[in-house]
Amino acid sequence: MARRNKIYEGKAKILYEGPEPGTIVQYFKDDATAFNAEKKDVIDGKGVLNNRLSEYFMTGLNQVGVPTHFIRRLNMREQLVRACEIIPLEVIVRNFAAGSLSKRLGVEEGTQLPRPIVEYCYKDDALGDPLVTEEHIAAFGWASQQDMDDVLSLALRVNDFLSGVMYGVGIRVVDFKIEVGRVYDGDFQRLIVADEISPDSCRLWDIETGRKLDKDVFRRDLGSLTDAYSEVARRLGVLPKNAQVTKPTLIN
Ligand code: 5GP
């Protein structure tokens, strides 16, 4: 049998050449890493949950007119996505202070921000994804001013969508990270949301109890990551209410 062509292997995903030109198969691994891969583990079922949750969010975004790379889910761990040229930035949107913002600026975790704050980090593992300004982005040619206007607009639209959907199931979107890619339709370039949207890339807190339902559970040793992600999936109706959590059964 022919072996498929691996394009890239990252910390949480593997990308393979897709069945048609311009497509990619995105495989979700069970590996969890934090602090630039200084902390590592394999979490049974994480890849399955993130594949399904990212499908859920990306499909919803496509439906409300926010373009994403998502085409369709292929199986429990893989989805077919549109190939794009990734802008080398992590685009972070924050609604409440937490994580590196709290550390950097001394703002207490959980403080509501006066308005959503959008930050950019340069994607470079060796440098630890440093925070950069639009000046750096323009000067080093990572994205044009027009791109950055579109990136900002996409990021805020994703924030509105995610915050609304999660509020409906009693979860606060504290912050999240997206990646944005360029695709070409004939002579025209447009930007789409790429990579993944999952509890690996968001901070999600239960509105009533403050319970963390995201990767901070792993980063800060707060209990079972699978339990936390399964809770998110269950509330969104992606996982049946009585499902076993270690090997999740997903609603199609
Ligand atoms: P912070 O800057 O506070 O560490 O992270 C802000 C938000 O972006 C959090 O929701 C965090 O999960 C997400 N984020 C930041 N960097 C990364 C990254 O390298 N990978 C992933 N998956 N998420 C990230």
Side-chain angles (χ1 to χ4, degrees):
M1 213 201 298
R3 213 182 152 77
R4 61 182 171 175
N5 211 357
K6 192 195 278 189
I7 301 171
Y8 171 80
E9 177 157 4
K11 286 174 277 195
K13 292 187 295 294
I14 306 175
L15 303 182
Y16 297 98
E17 233 167 55
E20 297 123 40
T23 65
I24 284 179
V25 174
Q26 188 164 254
Y27 175 98
F28 287 77
K29 303 198 282 187
D30 279 344
D31 301 44
T33 62
F35 313 117
N36 209 5
E38 275 170 39
K39 179 171 177 168
K40 286 186 208 173
D41 205 349
V42 176
I43 314 276
D44 207 13
K46 181 176 88 85
V48 173
L49 284 158
N50 280 351
N51 183 30
R52 190 61 185 81
L53 284 165
S54 199
E55 173 196 13
Y56 181 87
F57 295 128
M58 296 277 186
T59 304
L61 285 167
N62 284 339
Q63 282 167 352
V64 299
V66 180
T68 80
H69 72 162
F70 183 81
I71 301 172
R72 65 176 182 276
R73 180 161 58 87
L74 298 172
N75 55 49
M76 294 286 273
R77 286 189 181 273
E78 294 178 329
Q79 48 184 244
L80 188 68
V81 300
R82 191 163 172 189
C84 61
E85 197 180 284
I86 293 281
I87 295 179
L89 297 173
E90 293 190 336
V91 180
I92 294 172
V93 184
R94 301 179 185 272
N95 298 305
F96 294 82
S100 70
L101 179 128
S102 290
K103 215 184 224 178
R104 201 182 329 124
L105 302 179
V107 184
E108 195 184 339
E109 284 219 322
T111 308
Q112 184 161 18
L113 299 170
R115 49 175 252 189
I117 294 178
V118 181
E119 296 176 342
Y120 306 106
C121 293
Y122 179 51
K123 263 170 68 73
D124 186 316
D125 282 343
L127 298 175
D129 301 335
L131 186 70
V132 291
T133 68
E134 290 199 41
E135 283 289 295
H136 300 107
I137 297 167
F140 293 114
W142 298 324
S144 67
Q145 189 52 55
Q146 176 64 55
D147 283 344
M148 291 314 292
D149 291 347
D150 294 348
V151 165
L152 179 64
S153 150
L154 273 181
L156 293 174
R157 289 166 77 195
V158 172
N159 188 39
D160 285 346
F161 172 81
L162 269 188
S163 297
V165 166
M166 298 312 277
Y167 182 77
V169 296
I171 294 174
R172 169 169 298 153
V173 177
V174 171
D175 57 31
F176 64 90
K177 183 260 313 183
I178 55 167
E179 294 185 22
V180 175
R182 299 184 181 95
V183 288
Y184 297 90
D185 291 324
D187 286 343
F188 295 96
Q189 173 208 285
R190 30 188 212 107
L191 298 187
I192 61 175
V193 178
D195 192 51
E196 73 180 288
I197 300 178
S198 75
D200 263 11
S201 52
C202 302
R203 282 200 175 89
L204 305 171
W205 296 358
D206 181 88
I207 289 175
E208 298 246 303
T209 65
R211 179 184 166 198
K212 292 180 175 31
L213 298 168
D214 56 63
K215 204 167 136 186
D216 274 350
V217 170
F218 171 72
R219 293 188 189 102
R220 302 180 188 186
D221 291 320
L222 299 175
S224 159
L225 194 73
T226 321
D227 280 358
Y229 288 21
S230 297
E231 178 63 23
V232 176
R234 214 178 279 120
R235 289 199 200 181
L236 292 169
V238 165
L239 191 68
K241 285 210 165 27
N242 55 357
Q244 197 210 25
V245 290
T246 45
K247 292 222 177 342
T249 319
L250 296 167
I251 294 171
N252 224 355

